[in-house]
Amino acid sequence: MARNWSITEAHCNHQVDFTPRLQDHDISTQPRSKHIPAYHMLRTKIMDYHQHAKYHLKLAAIMRNHNQFKACLILCDWALASMIKALYIHKYHSVHPPKELTMNEILPLVHTDTEPGLDIALFICTMQHMSSFEEYQENQYLDLDNIEKLHQRTEDILEELATRLNDNSTKFS
């Protein structure tokens, strides 16, 4: 006696192949995320680094408000580093950005045809340098006015760079 196979049984037992064929669908009409498997992973990494930059900037403001100026500098540097890593992933489609980026690597990431990035790259490298001082005379460099200016400049740069990630809906406020 012949058995009536249900669609599920037939598919699970490989008697009928219900899987759509690639040639049956026009891949050009599908969204980019459908035909590039790594796209979602890259976008997630970019947004993770972007989110880290925002968190670091918020923590820097808290540290500044509590007169923890060295911690504020370090957190501003971390925020800039996170954003640069997001830009690196965005530009080079690499999930694993370098741990540290040099001026030669930062400049192509922040420079565009319409916006020269030398001042941004110099600021980022200056923040790296200032935050790496183990000991320095706090009275000479770190007063509230200077820290507020550095924090504001960091926030301005992060907002400008965030627009390059095609994420205009997220602000650094």
Side-chain angles (χ1 to χ4, degrees):
M1 181 180 255
R3 181 172 178 194
N4 292 330
W5 290 92
S6 70
I7 293 175
T8 307
E9 288 174 331
H11 181 70
C12 292
N13 292 325
H14 304 290
Q15 293 185 3
V16 180
D17 188 8
F18 293 104
T19 344
R21 299 275 181 238
L22 188 57
Q23 64 267 20
D24 295 340
H25 301 285
D26 182 12
I27 198 164
S28 64
T29 62
Q30 295 179 357
R32 183 177 179 186
S33 59
K34 294 273 188 188
H35 61 86
I36 299 178
Y39 175 78
H40 178 69
M41 185 170 52
L42 285 174
R43 195 74 199 147
T44 301
K45 273 290 200 193
I46 290 168
M47 297 318 302
D48 287 348
Y49 277 113
H50 186 192
Q51 193 67 37
H52 284 138
K54 293 188 319 187
Y55 288 151
H56 292 315
L57 190 66
K58 286 180 182 179
L59 287 172
I62 292 168
M63 292 294 109
R64 181 198 64 213
N65 294 339
H66 287 89
N67 295 324
Q68 300 294 319
F69 300 143
K70 177 68 174 171
C72 179
L73 275 179
I74 291 169
L75 287 163
C76 284
D77 175 47
W78 289 357
L80 291 165
S82 293
M83 183 56 76
I84 291 299
K85 288 178 182 179
L87 287 170
Y88 184 93
I89 294 168
H90 182 73
K91 182 172 184 169
Y92 298 114
H93 304 287
S94 171
V95 180
H96 305 288
K99 191 171 187 170
E100 293 181 9
L101 294 164
T102 65
M103 174 70 121
N104 290 334
E105 295 162 326
I106 292 172
L107 190 56
L109 295 173
V110 297
H111 180 77
T112 64
D113 293 336
T114 59
E115 189 69 36
L118 185 58
D119 62 329
I120 294 173
L122 285 172
F123 181 79
I124 291 169
C125 291
T126 301
M127 288 298 287
Q128 286 176 347
H129 181 69
M130 289 177 68
S131 69
S132 68
F133 283 152
E134 293 205 17
E135 292 180 25
Y136 59 94
Q137 302 159 0
E138 293 197 24
N139 294 338
Q140 185 178 0
Y141 300 107
L142 299 178
D143 64 13
L144 184 57
D145 290 337
N146 290 338
I147 292 297
E148 284 178 349
K149 289 175 186 172
L150 290 171
H151 185 269
Q152 184 59 50
R153 181 69 177 134
T154 301
E155 185 175 359
D156 294 344
I157 288 172
L158 291 175
E159 283 184 13
E160 181 179 335
L161 296 177
T163 60
R164 299 181 192 182
L165 295 175
N166 297 325
D167 186 28
N168 297 328
S169 62
T170 309
K171 292 288 180 186
F172 282 90
S173 45

